[in-house]
């Protein structure tokens, strides 16, 4: 911190965000009358678009794309442009709340955190530290300081009950990285500037802007890729992305593994450089044996694809030599997630496409700079799950979210702290989970607005929203489309009686007798920058340099070679991890009528779906069905239908979509009325290797109904 900004720190007891960043105008947040434009970046999704936010005093007047941003160059989506509406949403939390049995009521921070600290300490004293759990969810990944302090608090409490949204949507990615490369943190990204053959499986970046990996400015990026070469999209729906592809393969949900297994089988027979492979991989004979059964007949029968289309894809890979393939939630939330991800990695290894221009590179992260660290190889062996679900695996220092309801029901988990998440619309068996959450002694929710989950909370921590705090993209560093980073100051002063999330957890820790900030710093004498600066440890630039940069800084477009040289044990990929070979051999064929997920343009999970007081058109949670299925089942456009799985049911409005494969119903998630989380189960279909809940490819039945769609309970 500079002396100037230290002097300008807000008074103790009213901590606010650092305000010494780089507005493009000359104002400090709220200090200057008349409109001021601030340069920042959107922290709703992984793409982190550069934005220009115009404010006047405490009001956000507009949000638009920053043309000066080196990657997003002025692009934003509807969600980013609605950040101002979200900031002023009447449903925002304005101060701490507590429920002493008669519903939530406003209290002072000292009362809220004092009571919470006392209750948590009593629970720890009676039932041990593991009885206090934490769910670190989507929004926590976009608040560097808040996420870090939440993690520190849980560590200080000494609790093993750590749950994150990784086990909800993507555990196959760290798993495959760990089993094939000895380290769970490698994140392959496509070399967008050079790739000529791109394969997207179960990913719809035009709407999602990426799963795990950022896919900024998706339409322009896809068009450029399609102009240069081929873009092949595998998806049971003709999505917005499929429409921009050179080839769309509408395969059966859950069958991607067969297609990719066939590709590598054929390449091993002809096209792969076996000598190169032998030098860079172990387990080649075992791997070849594992994919051997996937001849064209079997592949066509499992995927439902035409033999000619399959053969053409094989020919394409041979012709291009190098391939850049990426998976999304259609794959990573399915029963064949691990094996498909493994086979996709193997396809890159077999074609020599990893760590090589035109294929895939690994982002070491601007802030984390993994290419400068030493790697320790992990065994990949999981620990046992929590007491009520010991059969579930514990990996990467967390339990699978599938266990949360059981842990509460069995009395092992008595307090849950929710950090930037909405479990009632994201975790399995919403109805059962609602009952379980209500049984907790403490449900503390750190959020920015009233949600389905805050309605059940005993303590609500009203946090600073993204425009009210300084930040760097620390958690999502390696998921970016380049080695890039950006600092933002707060663009509006922190409003009402809200607090930065880092302050909440530091003050709560202090009251519980724990040091959360390094050296036990006093939260009231600390600002955002003090908490963020240490996160910029091994960064390409120092914190002060990053903070002084007017917009994002791209250190490298892509970097190659470091994984092979530094990270891989003996410089070789493990092509045939035993657990994955076994899972492939035992995979059941995909079910005949299934639910698949779908993101929508104007909301993000449960966020932005129902902003109060705006004119914005909202997304509708429609059920998409193929016209022939609709006719056969007596379903009509605009009429309600009931979807039943083995664990629950939802009723929603049908939209007939000829672009969908038959045998599929596409349902968005994040809604409490038509809640896809009613269809998921914490036990049926849970992946044995990661404990992930099945959310894509859930077997269901579909029928017409007169039933009304229930109104959302419990939302303010
Ligand atoms: N607008 C918006 N953007 C978001 C989000 C949001 O809610 N709204 N959520 C964010 C989050 S948390 C995430 S994780 C990402 C997810 O980002 P994506 O993974 O891109 O998610 P979707 O857009 O749902 O795309 C998944 C696609 O997989 C297809 N699919 C389903 N089953 C299968 C299958 O078995 N095989 C294949 N090949 N395809 C299948 C579906 O039809 C769908 O088109 O998006 C992020 N971005
Ligand atoms: N059936 C089904 N279930 C799914 C999925 C599916 O496709 N189908 N998708 C899954 C996926 S991909 C994911 S990632 C999970 C998402 O699961 P969650 O992460 O649990 O859900 P979100 O709705 O993203 O919750 C984010 C919460 O953070 C709050 N928030 C926003 N900004 C801030 C902030 O700055 N600070 C704080 N403290 N809070 C903030 C929002 O108001 C919101 O309540 O859901 C999963 N669940
Ligand atoms: S794509 Fe949209 S939500 Fe994602 S960072 Fe950009 S503006 Fe924000
Ligand atoms: Mo996600």
């Amino acid at each position: 911190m500079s002396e100037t900004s230290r002097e300008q720190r807000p008074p103790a007891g009213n901590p606010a965000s650092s305000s010494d960043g780089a507005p493009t105008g000359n104002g400090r947040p709220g200090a200057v009358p008349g409109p001021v434009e601030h340069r920042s970046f959107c922290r709703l999704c992984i793409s982190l678009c550069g934005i220009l936010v115009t404010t006047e005093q405490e009001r956000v007047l507009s949000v638009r794309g920053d043309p000066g941003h080196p990657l997003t160059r002025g692009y934003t989506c509807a969600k980013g442009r609605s950040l101002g509406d979200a900031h002023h949403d009447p449903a925002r939390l304005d101060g701490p709340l507590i429920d002493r049995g008669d519903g939530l009521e406003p209290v002072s921070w000292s009362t809220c955190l004092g009571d919470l600290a006392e209750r948590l300490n009593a629970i720890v004293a009676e039932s041990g530290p593991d009885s206090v759990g934490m769910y670190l969810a989507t929004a926590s990944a976009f608040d560097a300081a808040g996420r870090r302090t939440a993690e520190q608090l849980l560590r200080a409490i000494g609790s093993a009950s750590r749950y994150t949204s990784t086990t909800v949507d993507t555990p196959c990615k760290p798993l495959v990285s760990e089993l094939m490369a000895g380290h769970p943190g490698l994140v392959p990204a496509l070399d967008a500037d050079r790739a000529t053959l791109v394969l997207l499986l179960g990913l719809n970046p035009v709407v999602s802007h990426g799963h795990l990996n950022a896919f900024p400015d998706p339409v322009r990026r896809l068009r450029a890729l399609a102009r240069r070469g081929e873009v092949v999209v595998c998806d049971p729906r003709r999505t917005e992305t499929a429409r921009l592809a050179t080839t769309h393969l509408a395969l059966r949900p859950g069958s991607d593994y067969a297609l990719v297994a066939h590709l590598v089988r054929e390449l091993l027979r002809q096209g792969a450089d076996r000598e190169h492979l032998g030098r860079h991989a172990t387990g080649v004979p075992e791997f070849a044996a594992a994919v051997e059964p996937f001849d064209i007949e079997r592949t066509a029968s499992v995927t439902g694809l035409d033999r000619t289309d399959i053969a053409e894809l094989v020919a394409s890979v041979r012709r291009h030599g190098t391939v850049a393939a990426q998976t999304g939630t259609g794959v990573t939330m399915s029963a064949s997630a691990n094996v498909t991800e493994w086979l996709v990695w193997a396809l890159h290894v077999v074609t020599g496409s990893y760590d090589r221009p035109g294929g895939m590179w690994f982002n070491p992260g601007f802030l984390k700079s993994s290419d400068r660290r030493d790697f320790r190889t992990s065994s990949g062996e999981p620990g046992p799950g929590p007491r009520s679900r010991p059969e579930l695996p514990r990996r990467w220092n967390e339990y699978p979210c599938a266990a949360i309801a059981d842990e509460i029901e069995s009395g092992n988990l008595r307090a849950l702290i929710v950090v930037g998440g909405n479990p009632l619309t994201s975790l399995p068996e919403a109805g059962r989970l609602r009952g379980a959450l209500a049984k907790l002694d403490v449900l503390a929710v750190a959020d920015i607005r009233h949600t389905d989950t805050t309605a059940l909370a005993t303590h609500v921590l009203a946090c600073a929203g993204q425009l009210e705090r300084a930040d760097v993209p620390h958690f999502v560093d390696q998921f970016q489309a380049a080695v890039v980073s950006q600092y933002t100051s707060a663009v509006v002063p922190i409003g009402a009686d809200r607090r930065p999330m880092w302050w909440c957890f530091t003050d709560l820790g202090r009251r519980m007798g724990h040091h959360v900030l390094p050296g036990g710093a006093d939260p009231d004498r600390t600002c955002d920058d003090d908490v963020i600066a240490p996160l910029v440890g091994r960064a390409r630039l120092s914190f002060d340099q990053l903070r002084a940069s007017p917009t994002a800084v791209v250190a490298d477009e892509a970097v190659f070679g470091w994984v092979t040289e530094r990270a891989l044990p003996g410089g070789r990929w493990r092509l045939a991890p035993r657990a994955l070979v076994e899972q492939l051999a035992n995979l059941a064929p995909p079910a005949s009528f299934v639910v698949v997920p779908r993101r929508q343009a104007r909301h993000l999970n449960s966020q932005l779906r129902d902003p109060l007081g705006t004119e914005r058109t909202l997304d509708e949670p429609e059920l998409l069905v193929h016209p022939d299925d609709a006719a056969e089942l007596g379903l009509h456009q605009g009429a309600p239908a009931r979807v039943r799985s083995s664990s629950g049911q939802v009723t929603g409005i049908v939209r007939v979509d000829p672009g969908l494969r038959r045998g599929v119903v596409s349902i968005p998630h994040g809604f409490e009325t038509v809640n896809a989380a009613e269809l998921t189960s914490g036990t049926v279909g849970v992946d044995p290797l990661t404990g992930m809940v099945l959310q894509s490819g859930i077997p269901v039945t579909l029928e017409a109904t007169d039933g009304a769609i229930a109104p959302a309970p419990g939302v303010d």
Side-chain angles (χ1 to χ4, degrees):
M1 290 252 4
S2 69
E3 275 313 305
T4 333
S5 55
R6 214 184 283 276
E7 280 161 21
Q8 289 162 345
R9 187 173 292 167
N14 178 24
S17 304
S18 151
S19 49
D20 53 349
T24 54
N26 60 355
R28 301 170 47 74
V32 182
V36 181
E37 193 171 70
H38 309 262
R39 196 168 258 138
S40 184
F41 59 93
C42 173
R43 281 153 282 167
L44 280 169
C45 93
I46 205 87
S47 275
L48 306 179
C49 297
I51 51 174
L52 296 173
V53 186
T54 307
T55 62
E56 184 161 11
Q57 305 284 24
E58 299 189 352
R59 280 215 75 74
V60 179
L61 302 180
S62 72
V63 178
R64 64 189 177 95
D66 174 7
H69 189 283
L71 285 186
T72 57
R73 294 176 294 171
Y75 177 85
T76 50
C77 79
K79 302 185 299 301
R81 291 190 298 275
S82 76
L83 279 173
D85 288 346
H87 175 68
H88 295 296
D89 190 337
R92 277 298 298 272
L93 293 163
D94 283 337
L97 306 170
I98 207 165
D99 184 352
R100 295 195 177 95
D102 298 321
L104 289 168
E105 57 176 289
V107 285
S108 68
W109 277 103
S110 147
T111 304
C112 182
L113 295 178
D115 185 80
L116 181 55
E118 208 173 283
R119 292 216 230 169
L120 293 178
N121 274 344
I123 292 171
V124 171
E126 276 170 33
S127 310
D130 293 349
S131 56
V132 175
M134 200 177 260
Y135 171 50
L136 294 142
T138 306
S140 76
F142 297 95
D143 175 353
R147 170 80 181 220
R148 173 50 69 100
T149 49
E151 298 266 20
Q152 285 292 116
L153 175 64
L154 193 69
R155 201 169 302 138
I157 293 171
S159 170
S161 300
R162 178 172 176 272
Y163 299 87
T164 83
S165 40
T166 298
T167 62
V168 179
D169 69 345
T170 189
C172 67
K173 292 195 175 178
L175 178 80
V176 167
S177 172
E178 186 163 30
L179 296 182
M180 291 185 75
H183 186 274
L186 300 181
V187 186
L190 54 94
D191 180 13
D193 291 336
R194 282 161 285 247
T196 58
L197 176 59
V198 172
L199 192 54
L200 303 178
L201 304 121
L203 181 76
N204 185 14
V206 171
V207 172
S208 69
H209 300 86
H211 169 249
L212 202 66
N213 302 84
F215 208 108
D217 197 357
V219 172
R220 186 150 49 171
R221 187 169 278 248
L222 283 163
R223 287 207 170 116
L225 289 167
R227 261 198 311 274
R228 185 182 322 127
E230 291 182 64
V231 176
V232 180
V233 169
C234 299
D235 198 306
R237 187 166 77 89
R238 187 169 150 73
T239 58
E240 299 77 355
T241 303
R243 283 183 220 137
L244 297 172
T246 52
T247 307
H248 172 215
L249 300 176
L251 79 187
R252 177 176 292 144
S255 72
D256 306 68
Y257 71 93
L259 180 64
V260 189
H262 178 71
L263 284 180
V264 274
R265 174 191 192 263
E266 295 305 300
L267 286 159
L268 284 173
R269 291 173 166 223
Q270 184 207 322
D273 180 345
R274 292 295 283 252
E275 195 266 328
H276 180 269
L277 187 59
R279 269 187 287 121
H280 293 281
T282 60
V284 180
E286 295 87 337
F287 179 76
V291 295
E292 184 52 29
F294 292 90
D295 57 17
I296 189 108
E297 284 78 27
R298 179 159 177 188
T299 306
S301 132
V302 176
T303 58
L305 293 174
D306 206 86
R307 284 162 189 241
T308 329
D309 290 341
I310 298 171
E312 268 177 24
L313 186 58
V314 173
S316 255
V317 180
R318 286 197 179 123
R319 202 166 53 244
H320 289 267
T322 304
V323 59
Q326 228 158 35
T327 56
T329 51
V331 165
T332 66
M333 302 194 312
S334 75
S336 51
N338 304 330
V339 295
T340 308
E341 189 67 21
W342 160 49
L343 293 164
V344 166
W345 278 54
L347 174 65
H348 293 117
V349 173
V350 165
T351 52
S353 304
Y354 265 167
D355 234 4
R356 191 192 271 181
M360 304 289 280
W361 64 290
F362 292 83
N363 193 333
F366 186 107
L367 302 179
K368 291 176 190 154
S369 292
S370 294
D371 52 344
R372 296 173 189 172
R373 59 174 271 202
D374 292 325
F375 284 84
R376 222 170 8 131
T377 305
S378 66
S379 72
E381 284 304 313
R387 274 185 289 155
S388 63
R389 299 289 300 276
E391 83 288 3
L392 291 175
R394 178 178 176 84
R395 295 185 183 274
W396 320 303
N397 198 28
E398 64 186 278
Y399 290 134
C401 288
I404 290 180
D406 300 278
E407 280 291 276
I408 299 173
E409 286 169 1
S410 61
N412 297 334
L413 203 55
R414 294 182 52 199
L416 182 66
I417 307 173
V418 174
V419 188
N422 194 358
L424 283 177
T425 51
S426 59
L427 302 187
E429 293 162 282
R432 175 182 166 206
L433 185 66
R434 174 179 290 280
L437 294 180
K439 278 197 203 131
L440 285 165
D441 293 320
V442 167
L443 174 62
V445 182
D447 209 296
I448 58 165
R449 55 165 281 159
H450 292 273
T451 70
D452 320 323
T453 303
T454 58
L456 295 180
T458 55
H459 300 75
V460 176
L461 311 181
C463 294
Q466 59 170 285
L467 301 179
E468 297 171 304
R469 59 169 196 257
D471 224 333
V472 291
H474 183 252
F475 188 82
V476 294
D477 193 29
Q478 315 96 288
F479 308 144
Q480 297 308 302
V483 185
V484 61
S485 199
Q486 183 164 10
Y487 168 86
T488 180
S489 58
V491 302
V492 282
I494 193 161
D497 194 16
R498 300 173 194 130
R499 292 288 187 274
M501 195 155 76
W502 64 259
W503 182 91
C504 300
F505 290 127
T506 308
D507 193 68
L508 175 62
R510 188 170 57 92
R511 289 168 190 272
M512 292 177 74
H514 301 305
H515 288 326
V516 169
L517 292 177
D522 177 353
D524 292 334
R525 304 187 61 79
T526 304
C527 69
D528 287 2
D529 284 3
D530 297 335
V531 191
I532 297 165
L535 301 178
V536 186
R538 271 190 301 254
R540 301 313 220 224
L541 292 180
S542 72
F543 178 64
D544 286 334
Q545 287 169 317
L546 190 61
R547 191 170 55 166
S549 307
T551 183
V553 183
V554 175
D556 295 287
E557 299 288 345
V559 285
F560 298 93
W562 68 273
V563 166
T564 319
E565 283 158 26
R566 291 186 76 104
L568 281 184
R572 296 162 106 198
W573 303 97
R574 298 166 179 157
L575 213 45
R578 197 172 39 82
L580 298 171
V581 171
E582 280 171 14
Q583 202 168 27
L584 175 64
N586 296 318
L587 218 51
S592 58
F593 205 101
V594 296
V595 157
V596 297
R598 160 171 115 257
R599 265 78 203 159
Q600 293 173 300
R602 291 183 188 81
H603 74 112
L604 188 127
N605 302 331
S606 71
Q607 305 179 59
L608 309 174
R609 74 174 181 212
D610 49 4
L612 305 174
T614 71
E615 297 299 312
R616 226 148 54 73
T617 321
L618 301 177
D619 292 319
E620 294 291 342
E622 290 168 322
L623 316 178
L624 304 185
V625 186
H626 188 274
D628 295 345
D629 284 336
E632 208 169 283
L633 296 166
L635 307 177
H636 299 286
Q637 172 97 356
R642 186 182 296 129
V643 187
R644 280 185 216 266
S645 72
S646 66
S647 48
Q649 59 178 53
V650 295
T651 301
I653 299 297
V654 169
R655 181 150 66 86
V656 171
D657 180 357
L660 197 64
R661 212 192 137 81
R662 288 203 63 180
V664 179
V665 50
S666 167
I667 307 187
H669 74 287
F671 294 91
E672 212 194 1
T673 43
V674 182
N675 190 349
E678 297 284 2
L679 299 171
T680 50
S681 164
T683 44
V684 182
V686 168
D687 176 53
L689 292 182
T690 61
M692 186 192 66
V693 172
L694 182 64
Q695 287 174 135
S696 180
I698 308 166
V700 288
T701 56
L702 192 56
E703 65 196 355
T705 173
D706 300 331
I709 295 168
V715 190
D716 288 30

